[in-house]
Amino acid sequence: MRFFSQSYTYDDSWAIVTLAFFLRYPNPYAAHVISCDVISREQTPSGSLVTTRLILKKGSMPRWFPRGIVSRAESWVIEESEVDPFGKIVRCVTKNLDHVKVMQVEESVQFAQIAEGKTLQHTEARVVSKFGWGLTKKIENHGLSRFKMNMQRSREGVSLILNLLRQSRLQPMTLGAPAHAEETPMPDRERTNTDQERNKTLWSKLKTYLSSPSSSH
């Protein structure tokens, strides 16, 4: 088994980071995600929101892996999350449902509000292979390497959505945000023009990706 742990701090509030996390698909940095569907969602007596999503991802096997063992390079992944709007904590666990003998990756992510209105993301992952044939350690090392690469791209995708949320001034009211919008100082003309240009660039990037044939499900 290979284990990985990492923490990362967002300068944004817990509410908007949580919203961006659940809106992260689709985005240009997650081209390997084919579909993402909610299969259940309920509110607990304590007020937490519990959601289960089914995600289909595509990938590729390394050249050194024996051919004919895995018939298709796609994998179903289940994501189980709990959003606690009072404690301002999100807990999310994902793991693949197929090819588990070859390799199973279980990821645990937590988002928590910290001081100065920032958000701490803590990620842990376990990569386990039961394949044998003298390839177990090599498969686990490959899986861990791919996980690290995909985690960086996932963070870039969340950051893209965060930028879009900031610039479109969306208020994540259902995730524990205050019932009133915070007042912000009026920017000068030069700052406004710069923000508008950045907004156009981000929206254009996302719209181009969404309208491309490769991103359709």
Side-chain angles (χ1 to χ4, degrees):
M1 181 186 76
R2 297 302 306 273
F3 178 78
F4 175 78
S5 177
Q6 188 178 85
S7 295
Y8 179 80
T9 300
Y10 290 94
D11 291 333
D12 299 89
S13 68
W14 174 85
I16 194 171
V17 172
T18 298
L19 182 59
F21 176 73
F22 285 104
L23 294 178
R24 69 191 187 279
Y25 300 138
N27 73 75
Y29 300 102
H32 64 294
V33 176
I34 301 174
S35 65
C36 180
D37 300 287
V38 175
I39 58 177
S40 71
R41 176 170 285 159
E42 62 181 2
Q43 187 174 16
T44 67
S46 64
S48 294
L49 184 65
V50 178
T51 303
T52 301
R53 300 199 296 184
L54 193 61
I55 305 170
L56 181 61
K57 298 183 178 182
K58 63 181 178 180
S60 59
M61 303 302 296
R63 294 181 178 179
W64 47 261
F65 190 79
R67 295 186 178 182
I69 302 296
V70 177
S71 59
R72 58 187 180 86
E74 295 179 354
S75 181
W76 288 103
V77 175
I78 190 165
E79 176 192 87
E80 298 173 306
S81 63
E82 180 179 0
V83 180
D84 178 1
F86 304 106
K88 300 202 174 193
I89 294 178
V90 172
R91 298 179 183 88
C92 182
V93 177
T94 61
K95 59 183 177 181
N96 56 300
L97 298 177
D98 44 13
H99 312 316
V100 294
K101 185 174 182 180
V102 176
M103 181 174 64
Q104 183 165 54
V105 180
E106 182 171 331
E107 177 186 8
S108 176
V109 181
Q110 178 175 292
F111 294 91
Q113 178 175 279
I114 57 176
E116 300 179 357
K118 298 182 179 181
T119 304
L120 177 66
Q121 175 186 349
H122 182 69
T123 302
E124 294 183 354
R126 291 174 175 81
V127 182
V128 179
S129 174
K130 299 179 181 178
F131 188 72
W133 290 15
L135 292 174
T136 297
K137 185 174 293 186
K138 193 171 184 179
I139 291 172
E140 290 178 348
N141 288 336
H142 172 75
L144 183 61
S145 176
R146 289 295 298 269
F147 175 83
K148 291 179 179 179
M149 180 182 67
N150 288 335
M151 189 182 70
Q152 177 59 34
R153 294 183 63 83
S154 175
R155 188 173 295 156
E156 291 172 346
V158 171
S159 295
L160 172 64
I161 303 301
L162 275 172
N163 281 330
L164 295 176
L165 289 174
R166 291 191 208 104
Q167 294 164 22
S168 60
R169 301 178 185 275
L170 292 181
Q171 298 298 320
M173 304 303 294
T174 59
L175 295 176
H180 60 279
E182 297 181 359
E183 295 184 0
T184 56
M186 182 67 69
D188 56 31
R189 184 179 300 276
E190 182 177 355
R191 177 65 179 274
T192 300
N193 290 339
T194 301
D195 288 345
Q196 288 176 347
E197 289 301 319
R198 187 183 297 110
N199 190 27
K200 289 180 181 179
T201 302
L202 287 168
W203 276 116
S204 297
K205 188 173 184 178
L206 187 59
K207 287 179 179 178
T208 299
Y209 172 76
L210 291 175
S211 62
S212 64
S214 59
S215 66
S216 60
H217 306 326

